[in-house]
Amino acid sequence: MTTIQIKNAMKRYDNGVIAVKGISLTVEPGEFVYVIGSSGAGKSTFIKLLYHELALTEGMIKLGRFNFGEMKDRDVPYMRREIGIVFQDFKLLPRLTVFENVAYAMQVIETPTRKIKPRVMHVLRLVGLEQKLRRFPSELSGGEQQRVAIARAIVNSPEVVIADEPTGNLDPDTSDEIMDILERINSDGTTIIMATHNRELVNMRPHRLLEIAGGRLVRDEEGGAYGNED
Amino acid sequence: MKIRTMGRHVGDSLRSLRRNGWMSLAAVSAVTVTLLLVGVFMALLLNVNRVTTQVENDVRVRVYIDANTTKADTAQLKGQLSALKDVKTVKYRSRAQELNAIVGDYGDQWKMFAGDKNPLQNVFLVDTASPKATMSVTKQAAKLDHVASASYGGQTAKRLFGAVDTVQNWGIGFTIVLLFVAVFLISNTIRITILSRSDEIGVMRLVGATNAYIRWPFLLEGAWTGLFGSLIPMAVVDAGYSVVYHSFGFTRAANGFSLFPTMPFLVWLDLALAGIGIIIGALGALISMRRFLRI
């Protein structure tokens, strides 16, 4: 099981701006964690540090057996296979169908062909899109596209899913559906780390809450509610 | 890497070539022009080297004997010549034999110089162990008694080789410039492919594709560009060389000089052109990947 350990994480950009400073915490396997904070608080930088899109300036992040500070470049792809990532803008490939978009994540890590179809069908059923296999992203609603993105994120059975504002572009009902799916995935033992601005969701579905302000972790509270910070 | 994965990369790279249409065509054309010149120069230079070697090997020292030399002195001179360093054989030819050779080469009108009118001298034809030794042997032979003069047919050949060297150097320089242009054009084409597929590359990275997996299609696209660019030069050089070889009587070593026979020479030349094409294509792709594919 993958534990995430963060110690004194600090990120300074080339222009000298310090976006994240002195963050230390541990996320145990199977936890559901919200990351909240106002725009410019360092939330996105923090999330990008978690999947090594950005490199730490100081401190340590350890994801299972991968220590980001000591990890070699060639190990990064293998670390990424242990996490699934979901974005606000879905990042689906427009020329591929729903099935192909999800299967693509398995193909690029060279999964044997015979294993791809059953697994893709399984995750598409999980997100309720088994009827829209042959549709292209442009033929789907925003919520459906996000469900494809979630299916792609979990198809390689990662132990951690990092979702960066997954409901940011969706209406409340659709956001609820996405949350249902993420909680279902979480109930199977997958750790979920979700950055969000969505006050209602956080308050309606309480989980551990990390609040970042001015690049620092100002609150780490189990079942915490979204206050009036934003 | 699995065969299935490589098959996918090959498919991706060919699709990408098609998608980039005109840019791909420009890059392939650049390779074609470059390799056409490279092919012609290679065929030319390899054969010039071959003929040069043949000419060098054919060079022998001619030692002209003084007119009033006795038979005993002539025999002594032969001994002295044979004793010189790097001398392989020493063959005597009388002035009558020399004239016969001229008559044989240039016609019966030279017979009028037969008998006492013969202006030629008796000679020793000296073959050396290596072409390089001809000059030193000539110098040493000229200093011996009863030697009127000594010369080798190398001077003219030397001037010829000098001219050939100049052509070679310019040709090689020009070819290198063209190769650079081709590499530049290929790298630009690959850059466009990389930019047009940046979303896909981003997704690949996020789901854990290795750098090698991401790079292969671009490397293959460059290699295809080089390979396709070598096809026309292969055909043109093959056809041209065959015509030159068969039409100008180089098939027989009539005067001691011969070009490389078309087979297997053209096979090697074609393989070399394809190889150079693939290498410059892959090089162009590597340059683009280093600059534009930060993974």
Side-chain angles (χ1 to χ4, degrees), chain A residues 29-68:
Chain A
E31 277 197 271
F32 195 122
V33 181
Y34 290 122
V35 180
I36 64 165
S38 55
S39 298
K43 199 166 70 258
S44 282
T45 300
F46 176 69
I47 289 286
K48 283 178 181 169
L49 289 173
L50 292 180
Y51 60 92
H52 204 55
E53 177 69 14
L54 292 174
L56 280 171
T57 308
E58 278 174 26
M60 181 207 81
I61 295 180
K62 208 169 164 206
L63 189 143
R65 64 194 168 97
F66 296 98
N67 184 335
F68 288 13

Side-chain angles (χ1 to χ4, degrees), chain B residues 3 15 20 22 35-36 48 58 76 85 96-97 106 140-141 180 199 202 214 252 254 258 261:
Chain B
I3 294 170
R15 265 192 297 280
N20 289 333
W22 289 108
L35 290 185
L36 199 57
V48 162
D58 202 45
Q76 193 189 359
K85 193 171 172 264
Q97 286 171 312
Y106 299 105
Q140 291 174 70
F180 271 111
D199 286 348
I214 297 171
R252 293 183 309 276
S258 63

Side-chain angles (χ1 to χ4, degrees), chain A residues 51 53 66 73-85 104-111 152-153 155-156 158, chain B residues 200-214 295:
Chain A
Y51 60 92
E53 177 69 14
F66 296 98
D73 283 351
R74 65 168 180 268
D75 292 329
V76 173
Y78 300 98
M79 178 277 289
R80 295 238 172 95
R81 292 177 192 189
E82 305 215 349
I83 54 181
I85 307 167
Y104 189 74
M106 298 185 83
Q107 285 166 355
V108 300
I109 62 165
E110 302 186 62
T111 308
R152 183 181 64 192
V155 75
N156 288 323
Chain B
E200 196 175 336
I201 293 166
V203 171
M204 281 195 213
R205 290 173 59 225
L206 291 175
V207 296
T210 58
N211 292 348
Y213 185 95
I214 297 171
I295 47 181

